[in-house]
Amino acid sequence: MLLNWTLHSSSRHIARVLFLLALLSGWLTGVPSWAGVIQEVRVHGDRVVVKFDEPVTQASAFMLAGPQRIALDIRGAEPGRLARAGGAISAIRQGSQGQDGARIVFDLARPAIITEGSFGRDGRTLTLQLRTVDDARFARAAAERRMSFLPPFTYLQPSSRHPYSETISLPRRAPPAALPRIYGDPSRPLVVIDAGHGGHDPGAIGANGLREKDLTLRSALAIRDALLASGRVRVAMTREDDRFLVLQERYGLARKLKADLFISVHCDSAGNAGATGATVYTLSEVASDKEAARLAARENKADIIAGVDLGSQNPDISSILIDLTQRETMNASASFARLLGREAQPLIPIKENYHRMASLMVLKAPDMPSVLFETGYISNAGDAAFIASGDGQKRIAQSVRKAVEIHFATRMASR
Ligand code: ZN
């Protein structure tokens, strides 16, 4: 799937720019077998050229305000010495980030942002394109990161001919999103519906050409409408159109809105076309079975496709799980999962053993009950047709509406 990816270049989306050099060995494991020492950092007009003595694994950049700076993180690199500032860049500092590689910080004499980055063919040269902007534009570029709490994007472009990928400059996101719109009565608890995948990440593809990202969006919209019709909750969606969001952004947006419940909607997929039925997943450090582990690997890959390195950018899930708050959240999530399964049973094809657990990145919020609802198998002709149908959408939405109503009614009663 990754190998067929095509890059679309658009200079319109410059909010975040990334690039990545993927060693065929390195990009799978995220662990470079050696490190490239930074040989030189030099500013030539509006370009910054960074040279390494060995190919590095990946790089990513982001803007920081107060004072205005650009930070460049390079995995698989060690800091070197020679650096020559110039142009908009008043000073260059390099530091080690241990196993994460090196960081180069560019102090700015005037506001400038990176609009593009590309590696040379041998993976030893990284060229960044700078653009001078006004303070407001810089602030937007810098604010975007704070808004999303995201690690910088990077992108993988494995090449079949060369051991390294080359130029990467990536646009795949709408400009800094404002927080999602919240629908409904402000006095009601808030449910955030997350339509899985989107944009350049289609998710699983059904035999009939159906794309998971389309089905999840349609289901999510149907769920939103059903919840709003019930009048018991407010609803927001992480996406209402075909756009890409990394996993942290999905629950990050929900946390920012102080959501009371987070439901990520997906479709399952299996090699065995006979596999059928919905499941509800909650977070666990240990997968409930092999299939759950495979599912987690597949769903968590959305970020790897986008090039975000989960390994380095996220605290280990298990370390969060020790937290008692998280335990409480996990219990609330599990009870909602059981409720959803129970309410869905008479309405949609659902597995007998519908509640499963896996270390799913999108469920990682420590303080917000979260479930991942696999509405059925896109790889199964019957399930796919059901999920895609108007009736199927309605039944999926009804299941969630009933479960949500009971969930909040019970919580109110227990207070
Ligand atoms: Zn999915």
Side-chain angles (χ1 to χ4, degrees):
M1 193 154 74
L2 263 174
L3 293 171
N4 296 331
W5 233 266
T6 27
L7 282 179
H8 301 283
S9 213
S10 155
S11 54
R12 281 179 299 129
H13 300 122
I14 46 172
R16 191 188 307 266
V17 180
L18 309 153
F19 21 78
L20 160 100
L21 161 71
L23 299 182
L24 274 187
S25 60
W27 76 267
L28 282 170
T29 60
V31 180
S33 46
W34 63 87
V37 177
I38 296 167
Q39 297 292 291
E40 186 183 48
V41 185
R42 201 181 280 258
V43 181
H44 306 272
D46 58 0
R47 280 181 309 131
V48 177
V49 179
V50 185
K51 290 185 174 158
F52 313 93
D53 67 349
E54 292 288 352
V56 300
T57 314
Q58 76 179 51
S60 58
F62 54 95
M63 276 39 95
L64 290 151
Q68 292 172 335
R69 286 155 293 164
I70 295 170
L72 174 66
D73 287 340
I74 305 151
R75 299 204 69 200
E78 284 172 23
R81 244 167 272 160
L82 185 62
R84 215 154 277 174
I89 293 169
S90 57
I92 300 171
R93 292 170 284 140
Q94 302 182 38
S96 171
Q97 299 203 290
Q99 289 196 327
D100 289 339
R103 170 170 289 181
I104 303 177
V105 177
F106 300 95
D107 293 330
L108 297 171
R110 55 179 180 271
I113 58 176
I114 294 177
T115 58
E116 212 177 327
S118 62
F119 274 103
R121 189 157 282 214
D122 65 1
R124 296 177 189 184
T125 305
L126 170 63
T127 304
L128 306 174
Q129 193 66 44
L130 281 178
R131 200 179 76 192
T132 305
V133 293
D134 59 19
D135 284 314
R137 179 67 193 85
F138 185 90
R140 282 204 304 280
E144 196 214 354
R145 179 171 185 258
R146 281 198 296 270
M147 280 177 59
S148 54
F149 295 103
L150 287 179
F153 280 119
T154 51
Y155 202 81
L156 296 163
Q157 188 192 24
S159 155
S160 52
R161 276 178 53 242
H162 305 287
Y164 323 115
S165 61
E166 296 164 26
T167 302
I168 320 219
S169 147
L170 263 200
R172 352 129 255 82
R173 231 158 58 100
L179 284 173
R181 176 176 168 194
I182 299 176
Y183 300 87
D185 177 347
S187 69
R188 302 293 182 176
L190 176 65
V191 180
V192 170
I193 309 294
D194 170 49
H197 309 278
H200 70 266
D201 169 21
I205 312 268
N208 42 10
L210 285 170
R211 297 177 300 185
E212 184 183 357
K213 68 170 183 176
D214 299 323
L215 295 186
T216 60
L217 181 58
R218 280 157 62 188
S219 298
L221 289 165
I223 292 167
R224 176 194 69 186
D225 294 345
L227 290 177
L228 287 174
S230 85
R232 309 281 180 85
V233 290
R234 286 177 299 149
V235 184
M237 300 179 70
T238 55
R239 69 178 179 99
E240 298 188 34
D241 53 20
D242 183 21
R243 73 177 62 198
F244 178 75
L245 296 163
V246 298
L247 299 172
Q248 297 97 316
E249 190 167 18
R250 294 172 184 273
Y251 67 78
L253 287 170
R255 287 190 73 205
K256 268 196 168 170
L257 296 177
K258 300 195 167 29
D260 299 285
L261 182 63
F262 178 78
I263 304 172
S264 187
V265 181
H266 285 257
C267 302
D268 218 329
S269 165
N272 166 17
T276 174
T279 33
V280 189
Y281 278 85
T282 56
L283 183 66
S284 159
E285 60 264 66
V286 182
S288 52
D289 53 63
K290 262 189 197 156
E291 206 186 324
R294 267 198 299 273
L295 177 115
R298 195 169 61 241
E299 295 294 5
N300 290 343
K301 210 189 273 173
D303 278 0
I304 298 170
I305 288 168
V308 174
D309 191 330
L310 297 170
S312 73
Q313 305 290 353
N314 290 279
D316 185 10
I317 286 189
S318 56
S319 68
I320 291 176
L321 296 184
I322 306 164
D323 196 307
L324 284 175
T325 322
Q326 178 106 17
R327 290 272 170 222
E328 205 174 293
T329 305
M330 286 167 76
N331 290 340
S333 303
S335 75
F336 181 75
R338 288 191 295 270
L339 198 52
L340 177 54
R342 191 188 80 187
E343 294 305 313
Q345 257 173 342
L347 291 167
I348 70 173
I350 183 161
K351 281 191 203 298
E352 191 84 32
N353 170 21
Y354 52 73
H355 178 206
R356 301 196 175 183
M357 299 185 200
S359 54
L360 287 154
M361 205 53 72
V362 77
L363 302 180
K364 220 185 62 175
D367 47 4
M368 176 177 68
S370 308
V371 301
L372 187 143
F373 187 18
E374 294 279 359
T375 51
Y377 283 80
I378 197 170
S379 49
N380 176 281
D383 278 14
F386 175 78
I387 299 165
S389 72
D391 181 52
Q393 300 275 313
K394 208 182 275 175
R395 287 163 174 270
I396 288 166
Q398 282 297 93
S399 310
V400 176
R401 182 183 65 77
K402 288 185 163 187
V404 163
E405 284 180 4
I406 299 168
H407 173 77
F408 287 110
T410 316
R411 287 170 74 91
M412 295 295 265
S414 68
R415 251 171 221 170

